[in-house]
Amino acid sequence: MPLNIEKYRRDIDARNARLRTAAAFREPDRVPVGFSIGGSYYCGLFNHPIGEYYANPEMQVEVQIKGIEWEYEYLRADSCVKTSLSYDMGPLGEWVVCGGDVERPAGTSPRYVHRCADLDEFLALDIPRSEDNPRLRERARAVARFTAAARKLGVTLPVRKADSLHVHPPLSFLCAVIDPVVVCTAMFTEPDKLRAALDKCFAAFLAYREIGLADPKSVTALGLADDNISFISGESFRQWQMPYYLKLKERYSLKSFSLHTDGPNDQHFRILAEEVGLTSMDIGGFSDLANAVRDMKGKVHIYGGLNCKDFYGTGPLSDAARRKALAALRLAGPGGGFELAIGGETYVGVSPRGIRELVELVEERGRYPIRIEESETR
């Protein structure tokens, strides 16, 4: 079971060098290709029940070790650079902060049930201090079980500490606690209450993301996941969410500011590049890559261009996915600043063979200078 990462050190170093060059808006030897792959996908790959994975920290260790080895031995994408393990709670940060109920449907990640019906209920909700939060203590016990299981198995890989808690920035935080329809309607019907609620979310974001942080100015890299901005206009983003992005930039000393949203996000690209000053963006699977190139190329490192639905099944890389990948390489590859990827998370059901063959395609056709004819993309 113990995994010797040093066996793959040469590959890791080469991939990281390629990623750094592309992120600096220069052309490496070829376009990088990557996937955001985690525990749920590993469970599908190895026929482990996803519900048991999230409920059992000891199982998580075994699944993650097998998954990381599969990435190094089989997939061999540029995203295959993992060198540590981490306890995986699932997308439940807001549940830890606010409490309430969690659904655990079969075959997918746990899901936080909206805790509050409206803004009044949320504004009246008592959010505990992190040191008094029983759910945070429960998480700490699970991390301890995970770490002990790794060491019992002889795993020498580092286990990531879990001092701080991943929660979403204010709008997506609030949309986890309240139905997003209620939140978006309040932009027009209860703007003052909405601002108060978002301010409360921002205070919680800082309190839980900065657990154990002595000096905010020591933070040089920040990554946000903010799916719910996909459903609002650019002007609504400027009014309701962008102020918090700018406060974070002022609070920290950021050299790297990255964002993930599932999409579509086309309405935000220019704002994020020119007014927010992102350095990197996962554009999700539903945005138009041409719009991302138009508005962000050379300013923001672009990650994406493909969608999970291009790869569902068990078979080889389809002709349609091949053409789409070649079109993305031709459009966004020149000049660097691009990583071809499935935008967002790679979900259970995506063909392992299909994404391995995508890596092979990029290794062959993504080399600089890019030589792909338009006729190959149709």
Side-chain angles (χ1 to χ4, degrees), residues 19-92:
L19 293 166
R20 285 194 300 269
T21 301
F25 306 105
R26 294 184 285 116
E27 294 182 351
D29 57 333
R30 63 165 173 81
V31 175
V33 55
F35 310 91
S36 178
I37 291 178
S40 291
Y41 189 81
Y42 295 155
C43 285
L45 199 61
F46 304 123
N47 295 314
H48 290 292
I50 293 177
E52 290 185 23
Y53 170 84
Y54 283 107
N56 188 331
E58 290 78 11
M59 177 185 286
Q60 287 189 19
V61 174
E62 298 183 27
V63 170
Q64 288 184 29
I65 288 290
K66 290 171 65 176
I68 292 171
E69 186 172 32
W70 173 84
E71 289 198 50
Y72 281 120
E73 292 287 340
Y74 178 79
L75 185 58
R76 302 202 296 275
D78 293 298
S79 52
C80 300
V81 293
K82 294 173 183 172
T83 57
S84 63
L85 305 180
S86 59
Y87 170 67
D88 186 359
M89 180 178 64
L92 297 177

Side-chain angles (χ1 to χ4, degrees), residues 124-345:
L125 181 69
D126 179 34
I127 293 181
R129 297 184 307 166
S130 59
E131 55 266 39
D132 299 326
N133 191 320
R135 295 172 295 279
L136 201 60
R137 291 195 291 271
E138 177 183 335
R139 174 173 170 266
R141 289 191 292 270
V143 172
R145 286 176 56 190
F146 180 92
T147 304
R151 300 302 172 239
K152 185 176 181 180
L153 288 170
V155 175
T156 58
L157 294 179
V159 175
R160 293 183 192 173
K161 294 183 179 180
D163 295 333
S164 64
L165 179 70
H166 175 81
V167 291
H168 296 88
L171 182 67
S172 289
F173 184 117
L174 191 59
C175 288
V177 183
I178 304 175
D179 187 326
V181 173
V182 175
V183 174
C184 291
T185 300
M187 293 177 182
F188 306 96
T189 61
E190 298 181 291
D192 292 341
K193 283 185 182 179
L194 178 59
R195 178 59 69 197
L198 292 172
D199 286 347
K200 183 174 182 176
C201 292
F202 188 60
F205 175 95
L206 295 178
Y208 280 82
R209 289 276 293 232
E210 295 184 356
I211 294 172
L213 179 66
D215 179 14
K217 288 298 182 185
S218 68
V219 176
T220 59
L222 177 66
L224 300 178
D226 202 5
D227 291 338
N228 288 93
I229 66 169
S230 300
F231 308 110
I232 62 175
S233 69
E235 279 305 312
S236 292
F237 171 75
R238 277 195 185 99
Q239 180 179 358
W240 295 108
Q241 187 74 323
M242 192 171 83
Y244 302 106
Y245 283 38
L246 299 182
K247 287 180 181 180
L248 291 170
K249 287 189 68 177
E250 182 179 355
R251 184 176 182 84
Y252 303 137
S253 302
L254 298 181
K255 296 179 181 178
S256 171
F257 188 4
S258 61
L259 176 68
H260 156 78
T261 63
D262 279 337
N265 300 288
D266 307 54
Q267 71 274 29
H268 302 313
F269 288 151
R270 191 177 300 277
I271 299 171
L272 292 167
E274 298 178 0
E275 299 178 38
V276 172
L278 285 185
T279 60
S280 178
M281 183 173 181
D282 172 357
I283 64 173
F286 296 93
S287 297
D288 188 329
L289 180 61
N291 291 335
V293 169
R294 180 195 66 204
D295 293 341
M296 299 197 297
K297 182 71 172 175
K299 304 170 187 174
V300 180
H301 177 259
I302 300 168
Y303 174 101
L306 301 171
N307 189 304
C308 283
K309 67 181 182 181
D310 300 321
F311 297 89
Y312 282 133
T314 58
L317 182 69
S318 69
D319 289 340
R322 176 186 174 86
R323 291 192 298 271
K324 187 173 180 180
L326 291 174
L329 292 171
R330 185 174 187 270
L331 172 66
F338 175 61
E339 181 175 353
L340 182 66
I342 291 178
E345 182 183 351

Side-chain angles (χ1 to χ4, degrees), residues 5-19 30 71-73 76-81:
I5 286 293
E6 291 308 310
K7 174 182 175 182
Y8 308 105
R9 179 56 58 188
R10 181 176 296 179
D11 291 337
I12 293 170
D13 290 345
R15 289 165 188 159
N16 280 328
R18 184 176 297 119
L19 293 166
R30 63 165 173 81
E71 289 198 50
Y72 281 120
E73 292 287 340
R76 302 202 296 275
D78 293 298
S79 52
C80 300
V81 293

